[in-house]
Amino acid sequence: MDRRISRLAVVAGVFLLAIILLRSSYAAPSSDRPSAASFGRDVRFQPSSGLDWSTLPQRFPVPLTHQLPTGPPRRLGRVQHEFSKYKRDATTKKRQDAVRAAFVRSWNSYKKHAWLRDELTPVTGEGKTTFGGWAATMVDALDTLWIMDLHEDFFLAAAAAAQLDWANTTDTSVNLFETTIRHLGGLLSAYDLSGEPALLRKATELGNMIYMAFDTPNRLPGFWLNFENAKQGQQIAGINDPSASPCSLSLEMTRLTQLTGDVKYYDAISRVTDFLERTQNKSKLPGMWPKTINFRDETVNESGFTLGALADSLYEYLPKMAVILGGREPRYERMHLAAMDVVVDHLLFRPMLPDSEKHHDILFAGDAYVHPDSIDHNPEGQHLSCFTGGMFALGGKLFDIPEHVKIGERLARGCAWAYEAFPAGVMPEIFGIVPCSSAQGPCPWDEERWRKDGDESLKKGFSNARDPRYILRPEAIESLFILYRITGNEELRDVAWRMFQSIMASTETILANSAIADVTAQGGTTKLDSMESFWLAETLKYFYLIFSPPDLISLDEFVLNTEAHPFRRPK
Ligand SMILES: *[C@@H]1O[C@H](CO)[C@@H](O)[C@H](O)[C@H]1NC(C)=O
Ligand SMILES: *[C@@H]1O[C@H](CO)[C@@H](O)[C@H](O)[C@H]1NC(C)=O
Ligand SMILES: *[C@@H]1O[C@H](CO)[C@@H](O)[C@H](O)[C@H]1NC(C)=O
């Protein structure tokens, strides 16, 4: 009897000790985590003035039938390279510091000259309203501040973000897509990293406003969220809207449902997914959706197809949705694979290069126009479509298609090559390429053809620089970053470093960095006095991460939205 009691006591003691150890090991990460209090800040939620959007009735209500999927998960492939022998070296650390210094310089100028405004004008040093007047640059930069260990400024910005007033705007409508990817994405990711509850409350408030945009007869949202129309229940889907606009709100709204437990956001975007599924094989290029869509009549008979402007993130979000749902929803993988087959057949092309460049085994993504009896392939590259390298490679790892990882690398290297082909060391917004005459097989250099189709003032391979600006876009470094994390190939970091140095040399102003007018200009660039919020949210974040240890925002723990905001993946 006594022995049993003492044995029980021992067992109980061991049990208790185990609990204490477990609890402290659970508690450890959060006690390491910086907190607002340790910086003397109060990240306090302050409700918006005016209307609480969640109290408005839906004019076109639907039962919330789309629940978060709970079925057995498909095992998604590991994304990152096995970096077991990873060592931090001095060169990489110096490069990381240089990127951080560039960020701090631009951020400090924003704080000084444009605090709480959407954008800083980086030449004249003023504030600018471009996205509703809700401090777009600040909200977009929150998670970069966290990732770069700039915690004091993170809490300064988080405190201001938690007090944003969605009723404080002079605009009558807001761009639904941009507000979702920048503001909602920025707040959700800052919450996912810091755990500050006020940020989730502010995100939820915005999510409730965005949710109202789905209150249309067929539950497909328009391009603009017009406040008055939303209040009056007079919204209707657009007849000629960019396909990416309603079709890439999914990652943000899904994360909001996961974090709040309120299924309505996920239900709303699932109805857009239903639409994508219904129409994927009904377009003029079955498997892809056109650049613009009549969302009101649900027709997809426009003739132009691209992975660039207008359609880009629709495609980007298919594999990423599979990730955020932990592989529990098979239709995103199906749609992704069906679309990529068509992309490989009709949009990707090789440039015709002189023999000295033959070691560049590269690809670009162009456009296709479908005529009644033929398909025109337009070999035009865009900075925006440079994200496709990362998309192919990520999908290739997740769904175990090694060929797609290779395609991704060739696309990423194509964009990097195009950077180095211009005097500014930076790629233009839009440019033409003289393609190989066949998709497969040898591609001999043809001087005659080059003289006829090419532009002899540009490097051999190019036919024009139709839009010669560079506006601080991130997509080229985004794909290099993803490819580096996937392959562990150190040489990609050298490519990224050259890219960073060129961007700095050609865009730096007295205050920050600016869009430039013409990357083909010799000897100096003309600054356009514009610094969109993605410079701090995306471009510098990707540069920082590629020079950081690979467990910082590991792609096996996070999935990034199209504005480079990392969301935590489900376990
Ligand atoms: C409204 O927003 C502007 C920035 O766009 C800010 O300067 C102003 O203080 C805000 N007003 C209120 C009442 O919050
Ligand atoms: C579209 O067609 C492809 C190829 O025939 C098929 O694999 C895919 O499942 C179809 N997609 C839908 C949504 O029906
Ligand atoms: C697309 O289809 C709609 C309805 O079927 C038709 O009215 C419209 O003319 C078509 N547009 C094109 C570009 O073919």
Side-chain angles (χ1 to χ4, degrees):
M1 184 78 177
D2 277 354
R3 279 211 357 232
R4 260 180 56 201
I5 287 177
S6 64
R7 220 197 274 143
L8 256 173
V10 169
V11 169
V14 168
F15 192 67
L16 216 78
L17 194 70
I19 286 181
I20 290 166
L21 284 174
L22 260 173
R23 284 186 51 134
S24 55
S25 75
Y26 276 130
S30 61
S31 60
D32 285 353
R33 194 187 253 175
S35 71
S38 50
F39 291 94
R41 300 235 179 258
D42 199 1
V43 183
R44 193 185 311 168
F45 173 72
Q46 185 177 302
S48 284
S49 67
L51 183 65
D52 173 355
W53 290 92
S54 69
T55 62
L56 274 192
Q58 296 281 304
R59 173 73 186 278
F60 304 99
V62 278
L64 302 182
T65 46
H66 296 72
Q67 301 288 324
L68 282 175
T70 52
R74 178 209 203 284
R75 276 186 74 89
L76 297 171
R78 180 193 161 96
V79 176
Q80 292 212 155
H81 174 74
E82 183 66 67
F83 282 96
S84 50
K85 289 194 293 268
Y86 185 81
K87 272 219 226 53
R88 292 196 89 173
D89 63 286
T91 305
T92 309
K93 182 78 185 87
K94 256 178 36 206
R95 292 172 174 180
Q96 187 201 39
D97 288 345
V99 176
R100 193 173 184 269
F103 176 94
V104 168
R105 191 164 172 275
S106 289
W107 169 254
N108 282 342
S109 292
Y110 169 75
K111 268 198 330 188
K112 180 158 178 213
H113 300 283
W115 183 239
L116 294 184
R117 303 295 303 278
D118 285 335
E119 288 172 23
L120 165 77
T121 57
V123 176
T124 48
E126 309 208 327
K128 194 158 103 178
T129 298
T130 45
F131 293 109
W134 301 312
T137 293
M138 182 192 80
V139 176
D140 233 4
L142 280 168
D143 55 8
T144 316
L145 288 164
W146 183 273
I147 289 166
M148 292 185 176
D149 284 331
L150 296 162
H151 290 120
E152 173 142 22
D153 275 21
F154 171 82
F155 287 113
L156 172 79
Q163 300 189 5
L164 281 173
D165 184 351
W166 309 118
N168 178 16
T169 176
T170 52
D171 291 347
T172 51
S173 344
V174 61
N175 182 317
L176 183 66
F177 166 75
E178 299 289 356
T179 308
T180 302
I181 66 166
R182 299 189 200 219
H183 288 89
L184 183 57
L187 289 167
L188 287 172
S189 153
Y191 172 74
D192 253 346
L193 295 175
S194 71
E196 280 295 330
L199 296 174
L200 180 58
R201 291 184 70 185
K202 192 48 76 180
T204 308
E205 229 181 30
L206 179 59
N208 289 336
M209 186 170 99
I210 289 170
Y211 179 69
M212 278 310 291
F214 293 82
D215 188 25
T216 66
N218 64 357
R219 301 297 299 179
L220 298 177
F223 183 80
W224 297 101
L225 168 60
N226 178 292
F227 303 125
E228 230 15 74
N229 290 352
K231 287 177 199 167
Q232 306 294 330
Q234 285 172 348
Q235 300 181 99
I236 186 161
I239 54 169
N240 189 30
D241 280 351
S243 52
S245 173
C247 302
S248 32
L249 312 169
S250 48
L251 214 55
E252 295 79 5
M253 294 296 258
T254 300
R255 190 69 190 131
L256 187 56
T257 284
Q258 289 174 336
L259 290 171
T260 60
D262 186 342
V263 77
K264 72 182 182 195
Y265 317 107
Y266 179 71
D267 179 86
I269 60 88
S270 296
R271 290 166 196 278
V272 182
T273 306
D274 295 345
F275 164 80
L276 286 175
E277 212 171 20
R278 285 198 298 276
T279 52
Q280 179 165 27
N281 289 343
K282 293 199 179 132
S283 73
K284 291 186 173 169
L285 197 56
M288 288 191 75
W289 298 267
K291 290 181 190 180
T292 59
I293 291 179
N294 182 336
F295 287 97
R296 193 175 302 167
D297 299 339
E298 306 199 6
T299 51
V300 288
N301 57 2
E302 204 250 339
S303 307
F305 295 82
T306 186
L307 290 171
L310 304 176
D312 44 11
S313 47
L314 179 163
Y315 296 97
E316 177 187 351
Y317 272 20
L318 297 175
K320 290 184 171 180
M321 279 300 289
V323 173
I324 197 96
L325 293 170
R328 291 192 151 82
E329 169 54 281
R331 51 190 186 152
Y332 291 104
E333 175 181 353
R334 271 202 305 268
M335 287 192 279
H336 169 70
L337 297 181
M340 291 309 107
D341 282 348
V342 181
V343 166
V344 169
D345 287 347
H346 289 288
L347 269 71
L348 304 189
F349 65 91
R350 297 178 296 164
M352 179 180 79
L353 297 177
D355 293 340
S356 57
E357 301 263 347
K358 274 293 153 55
H359 57 285
H360 289 294
D361 179 20
I362 54 180
L363 286 173
F364 287 93
D367 290 1
Y369 289 90
V370 181
H371 304 295
D373 305 308
S374 63
I375 301 181
D376 265 350
H377 297 106
N378 180 18
E380 186 167 81
Q382 300 180 23
H383 201 292
L384 277 171
S385 59
C386 285
F387 83 93
T388 48
M391 173 181 65
F392 263 100
L394 182 68
K397 293 302 280 188
L398 292 169
F399 310 130
D400 193 21
I401 313 166
E403 182 57 26
H404 280 191
V405 179
K406 286 197 200 118
I407 290 173
E409 178 155 0
R410 293 168 72 200
L411 285 163
R413 287 187 183 276
C415 291
W417 174 81
Y419 264 64
E420 299 192 358
F422 287 88
V426 179
M427 171 200 276
E429 268 286 279
I430 304 178
F431 52 91
I433 294 260
V434 181
C436 293
S437 15
S438 69
Q440 306 291 333
C443 180
W445 174 251
D446 180 342
E447 190 78 23
E448 282 299 297
R449 198 170 148 234
W450 156 250
R451 288 230 183 78
K452 189 163 117 326
D453 297 341
D455 177 341
E456 292 187 71
S457 74
L458 301 174
K459 185 174 166 131
K460 283 184 171 171
F462 292 90
S463 60
N464 66 62
R466 185 157 77 78
D467 182 347
R469 293 171 305 152
Y470 170 66
I471 66 166
L472 304 174
R473 285 202 191 279
E475 293 78 16
I477 181 58
E478 170 182 347
S479 284
L480 284 182
F481 159 71
I482 294 172
L483 260 304
Y484 171 68
R485 287 292 181 88
I486 284 177
T487 63
N489 181 352
E490 289 296 325
E491 183 245 338
L492 292 171
R493 283 175 150 179
D494 296 332
V495 177
W497 179 241
R498 289 200 297 276
M499 195 180 266
F500 177 74
Q501 289 174 298
S502 303
I503 291 176
M504 291 308 287
S506 60
T507 68
E508 226 167 358
T509 70
I510 192 158
L511 297 171
N513 297 76
S514 170
I516 56 177
D518 187 355
V519 303
T520 69
Q522 303 281 349
T525 55
T526 305
K527 311 293 188 289
L528 295 171
D529 203 15
S530 163
M531 182 182 95
E532 284 212 48
S533 64
F534 49 67
W535 170 243
L536 298 183
E538 301 191 66
T539 312
L540 289 176
K541 182 188 287 146
Y542 284 125
F543 275 117
Y544 186 80
L545 287 175
I546 198 173
F547 301 126
S548 295
D551 57 354
L552 185 63
I553 311 293
S554 161
L555 297 177
D556 291 297
E557 288 169 42
F558 290 92
V559 58
L560 278 65
N561 90 337
T562 190
E563 192 75 1
H565 295 306
F567 299 157
R568 233 171 254 286
R569 293 175 56 168
K571 284 267 159 11

